[in-house]
């Protein structure tokens, strides 16, 4: 069971930090990762829900500094939060730091624990429309000077680098729902006409939301 006091602390002191990040890493994103992490944890009796919940809540807090090293900064943040010592011992704190550090999709090594694998898998959120929208949102937020065609080029480059058959994304939990979702994404990447139509639809929706 997750202590109510821990939930209150996370919901009032940690989750609100995501309000200052881009749309692809906002409160909705962290809540999704928390929910997905807890769902995946049910498949592993040895996983402690307290750790799973806390790791998911902290996983992107390092975006307060930068994106390139955010996973490492997130690890520093969770390790330095002495408030967590109310609920976790030093060994558990170390496990949570490692899991946060290991969650990044471009990581070149397998997560060091089941906790790292759970949050990494939950963070993938491989619903095709979510992936496309988050990529477009990130491009519009961080490169507002780019024209639509240039945003499209950036979108294609990111999709190829991360999600294609030779992309860097890795899944660490065989048989997870993400495997079939990634196959769908890769099929869509091979149909440039349909992909451009999807891009234009989402781009227009995001323009109207500005």
């Amino acid at each position: 069971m997750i202590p109510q006091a821990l939930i209150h602390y996370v919901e009032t002191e940690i989750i609100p930090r995501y309000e200052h990040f881009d749309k692809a890493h906002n409160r909705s994103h962290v809540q999704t990762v928390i929910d997905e992490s807890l769902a995946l944890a049910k498949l592993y009796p040895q996983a402690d829900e307290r750790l799973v919940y806390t790791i998911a809540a902290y996983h992107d807090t390092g975006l307060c500094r930068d994106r390139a090293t955010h996973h490492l900064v997130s690890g520093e943040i969770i390790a330095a939060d002495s408030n967590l010592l109310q609920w976790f011992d030093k060994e558990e704190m170390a496990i949570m730091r490692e899991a946060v550090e290991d969650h990044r999709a471009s990581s070149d090594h397998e997560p060091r624990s089941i906790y790292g694998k759970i949050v990494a898998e939950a963070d993938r959120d491989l619903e095709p429309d979510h992936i496309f929208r988050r990529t477009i949102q990130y491009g519009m937020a961080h490169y507002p000077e780019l024209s639509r065609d240039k945003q499209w080029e950036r979108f294609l480059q990111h999709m190829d680098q991360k999600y294609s058959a030779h992309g860097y994304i890795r899944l660490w939990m065989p048989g997870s729902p993400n495997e079939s979702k990634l196959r769908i994404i890769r099929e869509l990447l091979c149909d440039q006409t349909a992909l451009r139509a999807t891009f234009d639809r989402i781009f227009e929706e995001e323009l109207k939301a500005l």
Side-chain angles (χ1 to χ4, degrees):
M1 294 290 291
I2 306 170
Q4 283 300 314
L6 173 59
I7 293 174
H8 178 74
Y9 176 69
V10 166
E11 289 185 346
T12 57
E13 300 295 333
I14 306 306
I15 291 178
R17 300 183 188 188
Y18 288 79
E19 295 174 356
H20 304 290
F21 303 152
D22 61 85
K23 286 185 177 181
H25 301 90
N26 57 14
R27 289 185 69 134
S28 176
H29 169 66
V30 69
Q31 191 60 58
T32 295
V33 173
I34 289 172
D35 293 344
E36 290 296 324
S37 292
L38 291 173
L40 287 169
K42 294 184 184 301
L43 304 176
Y44 299 87
Q46 73 272 33
D48 187 323
E49 285 190 339
R50 297 174 307 128
L51 276 73
V52 172
Y53 172 76
T54 307
I55 291 162
Y58 280 77
H59 82 283
D60 275 343
T61 51
L63 288 169
C64 64
R65 188 177 302 175
D66 63 41
R67 183 173 176 82
T69 63
H70 82 277
H71 54 304
L72 301 178
V73 178
S74 297
E76 294 173 4
I77 291 171
I78 196 169
D81 192 341
S82 59
N83 290 300
L84 293 177
L85 294 174
Q86 300 173 64
W87 305 288
F88 304 102
D89 60 32
K90 290 184 178 180
E91 182 179 353
E92 290 169 332
M93 293 288 288
I95 290 171
M96 292 194 296
R97 178 176 188 163
E98 289 182 351
V100 167
E101 291 174 343
D102 291 345
H103 86 273
R104 196 172 186 193
S106 58
S107 177
D108 60 358
H109 64 272
E110 183 174 350
R112 288 165 280 185
S113 71
I114 187 60
Y115 297 103
K117 291 179 180 179
I118 286 172
V119 73
E121 194 76 17
D123 189 44
R124 299 298 178 260
D125 185 22
L126 292 181
E127 287 292 343
D129 197 71
H130 292 177
I131 291 296
F132 299 150
R133 187 174 300 276
R134 289 181 66 197
T135 302
I136 292 168
Q137 288 174 339
Y138 186 88
M140 294 175 76
H142 292 269
Y143 307 98
E145 74 281 1
L146 296 183
S147 66
R148 179 183 298 214
D149 284 343
K150 290 297 182 181
Q151 291 283 3
W152 163 245
E153 291 176 10
R154 182 202 163 274
F155 172 86
L156 282 181
Q157 182 182 41
H158 178 72
M159 288 294 117
D160 181 66
Q161 290 177 344
K162 185 171 182 178
Y163 298 104
S164 68
H166 58 263
Y168 62 75
I169 193 169
R170 296 290 182 271
L171 301 179
W172 304 112
M173 301 180 75
S176 78
N178 278 335
E179 285 190 342
S180 59
K181 293 175 184 177
L182 184 57
R183 282 196 296 271
I184 293 171
I185 290 172
R186 287 174 174 170
E187 290 171 1
L188 290 170
L189 295 184
C190 294
D191 187 344
Q192 293 272 302
T193 300
L195 189 62
R196 180 60 195 251
T198 299
F199 171 88
D200 285 336
R201 172 180 59 80
I202 297 173
F203 193 87
E204 282 296 328
E205 291 172 356
E206 291 300 317
L207 278 179
K208 291 176 181 178
L210 292 177

